Amino acid sequence: MRRTPARTACLTAAVLLTALAGAPGPAAARDLPDTYVVARTPGVLPEGIAITKDGTMYVSSDGTGVLYRGRVGRPDLTPFPARGLQGRPSSLGVHTDRRGRVLSVGGATLTVHDRRGRLLAARTATDGPLGAPHLNDLAVTDDAVYVTDWANPVVHRAGIRADGTLGPLEPWLDVRSAFPQFPARYWLLNGIVADAAGTTLLVASNGTEAVWRIDTADKGIARLDLGEQSFGADGMVLHGRTLYAVLNYGAPHGVYIARLDEELRTGTVTHRLTDEAFTLPTTLARHGCRLYVVNSQLNEPPGRPPYTVSAVADPTCGTA
């Protein structure tokens, strides 16, 4: 396991206290697993991941549509009893909101579950300019859920009302205006993240090998300037001005980290974590000073159990 200087110091202190007092070190100083087993059932093919502040982990299955749940302190996940997913053979993006609800997308549907798995809402996207939707990922703000469509160059939106209920899922922005000469069928919209204020979205497009910045107020869209770096990201995480992205197409597989300017218009790639034993990573979550990366095995379906999530140290932890 990789450790940050702070974690190493904590462990050193724990060892010293144990030697002096003859008592076990504090529980907070224990090691966390490097690898988490999502499932051992053939064909699961994990895809999305979300981790709550209290360390609850949710992972989606592209192969079966099932959601899995676990804890960052334990190496094994179990099926999350999410009702109403029987008709959805694939689940991709999964996130949680500040109410603790679990939101996920797959096929044409966006679903919302509570912590016990009770279905609170299900919304269906309409067909886009190229046909039936294939919802890929989602970003949750205080007043809306934004969803990317792999099959159409469209971002969908469902408003969140004052009481927390979800409005209809409707087409919100056709992104073709930003690059009209690019073939519509090859946009392949993928990961999506929002800033803390909910005023800016960053949307990954595998087809254009770029990330696009969208202003939620006026729907203005422009390419995120990362210099000459090809950046056709899959899943992403935005933490302040740090963008974490998983690349698995057109670049060595791994986690790429970029430092962005205050307006999230330009940035520089500062780290490339491509020497890890990832198996076609699709997305990631950030918790504490660690990054949790999904090993999808989608390049060789149905893959080979066990299906896992790898935890690696966040090299930016503790930096401004």
Side-chain angles (χ1 to χ4, degrees):
M1 173 184 175
R2 295 184 178 183
R3 299 187 178 93
T4 63
R7 182 175 292 277
T8 301
C10 286
L11 291 173
T12 302
V15 171
L16 179 60
L17 288 173
T18 301
L20 292 176
R30 77 193 191 289
D31 282 354
L32 296 174
D34 292 324
T35 301
Y36 297 82
V37 175
V38 178
R40 292 180 169 84
T41 305
V44 167
L45 300 173
E47 214 280 350
I49 186 170
I51 301 178
T52 64
K53 289 183 178 180
D54 70 359
T56 302
M57 181 188 303
Y58 295 92
V59 176
S60 63
S61 167
D62 188 7
T64 66
V66 174
L67 298 179
Y68 292 84
R69 181 172 61 185
R71 300 279 300 177
V72 296
R74 300 175 183 174
D76 294 290
L77 283 70
T78 58
F80 174 54
R83 299 177 181 88
L85 292 184
Q86 292 78 9
R88 191 169 82 186
S90 174
S91 293
L92 301 181
V94 58
H95 286 277
T96 59
D97 66 8
R98 56 187 176 85
R99 295 178 172 86
R101 301 180 299 185
V102 182
L103 298 89
S104 62
V105 295
T109 64
L110 161 66
T111 56
V112 184
H113 292 86
D114 67 13
R115 294 181 181 89
R116 295 175 296 173
R118 184 174 55 134
L119 181 63
L120 303 178
R123 300 291 182 264
T124 302
T126 58
D127 288 359
L130 301 182
H134 184 178
L135 304 183
N136 195 313
D137 200 4
L138 65 156
V140 184
T141 68
D142 286 342
D143 63 358
V145 180
Y146 296 90
V147 183
T148 55
D149 190 337
W150 175 261
N152 292 277
V154 172
V155 176
H156 305 265
R157 181 185 185 275
I160 300 176
R161 304 183 182 105
D163 63 357
T165 58
L166 208 63
L169 184 61
E170 300 174 323
W172 178 71
L173 177 63
D174 188 321
V175 299
R176 288 178 292 179
S177 61
F179 196 177
Q181 65 270 37
F182 192 81
R185 66 186 180 279
Y186 294 136
W187 270 87
L188 306 176
L189 299 185
N190 215 318
I192 181 171
V193 293
D195 68 350
T199 59
T200 302
L201 304 176
L202 297 178
V203 176
S205 163
N206 274 166
T208 63
E209 296 189 26
V211 174
W212 298 84
R213 181 193 185 278
I214 302 172
D215 189 312
T216 58
D218 63 10
K219 300 183 183 180
I221 179 170
R223 183 170 182 156
L224 174 65
D225 183 1
L226 294 171
E228 298 300 317
Q229 173 73 39
S230 173
F231 215 83
D234 197 334
M236 302 187 296
V237 167
L238 182 65
H239 180 69
R241 292 166 48 196
T242 301
L243 178 67
Y244 303 83
V246 169
L247 271 66
N248 52 33
Y249 170 77
H253 296 179
V255 177
Y256 290 64
I257 305 174
R259 183 65 175 169
L260 309 183
D261 72 331
E262 291 185 1
E263 294 187 343
L264 308 182
R265 296 182 184 276
T266 66
T268 302
V269 176
T270 59
H271 298 82
R272 296 173 176 84
L273 308 182
T274 58
D275 58 346
E276 307 291 342
F278 300 134
T279 308
L280 194 75
T282 47
T283 192
L284 76 164
R286 181 183 182 275
H287 187 264
C289 284
R290 306 213 307 169
L291 305 176
Y292 295 77
V293 183
V294 177
N295 296 305
S296 74
Q297 300 192 47
L298 284 168
N299 55 331
E300 295 182 355
R304 180 180 298 177
Y307 303 96
T308 63
V309 170
S310 295
V312 298
D314 178 355
T316 72
C317 194
T319 62

